[in-house]
Amino acid sequence: QGYLQESGIGLVQAGGSLTLSCTAFGETAKSFCLGWFRQAPGKPREGVAAIDTDYHYATYGDSVKGRFTISQNSSTNMVYLQMDNLEPEDTAMYYCAANPPTCSATRLPSAVTVGSVGQGIQVTVSS
């Protein structure tokens, strides 16, 4: 089956930067699409960024465009989320996800039911 494992340091002040990493193990290393979604307490899941692993085409959620960058390293089966100019509103649990119905940031939360999702990593942005 395979699984996804997130890593990174998740505490920063507003205006700062963080990088999250995700490693795909087993079958998930063959995913056509990898990315990140997030969920804050009391709010619905929100797609953050997705990347097509064959064509390297990336899409982003509207709230993070221009601030976050997704990238991948195919040789190590890793995907990264570089987050710059962080805001307190970015505080949430961030999940690495694979193979949503279509490869777009907005569809990534659907990976919960049809794809693969990691355990999640907490990101806290203090004001």
Side-chain angles (χ1 to χ4, degrees):
Q1 278 268 354
Y3 62 96
L4 301 167
Q5 186 170 52
E6 302 98 338
S7 61
I9 299 174
L11 179 63
V12 69
Q13 289 189 325
S17 298
L18 281 176
T19 301
L20 301 180
S21 302
C22 173
T23 305
F25 293 93
E27 286 297 311
T28 61
K30 304 174 185 177
S31 300
F32 76 91
C33 182
L34 291 168
W36 302 82
F37 70 86
R38 66 187 182 186
Q39 187 167 26
K43 294 187 177 181
R45 298 184 188 105
E46 177 189 7
V48 174
I51 188 165
D52 182 305
T53 58
D54 289 328
Y55 298 101
H56 305 279
Y57 180 76
T59 60
Y60 298 90
D62 288 341
S63 63
V64 306
K65 282 180 183 175
R67 300 188 298 122
F68 291 13
T69 304
I70 189 170
S71 61
Q72 66 172 101
N73 184 330
S74 299
S75 63
T76 59
N77 299 323
M78 295 185 71
V79 63
Y80 305 95
L81 185 67
Q82 173 68 38
M83 304 183 289
D84 298 317
N85 194 20
L86 283 158
E87 304 167 351
E89 293 73 23
D90 295 315
T91 295
M93 186 72 81
Y94 284 70
Y95 297 90
C96 183
N99 297 335
T102 56
C103 195
S104 71
T106 55
R107 298 302 306 274
L108 262 176
S110 297
V112 171
T113 53
V114 300
S116 299
V117 179
Q119 297 272 357
I121 185 168
Q122 177 67 38
V123 171
T124 301
V125 183
S126 61
S127 57

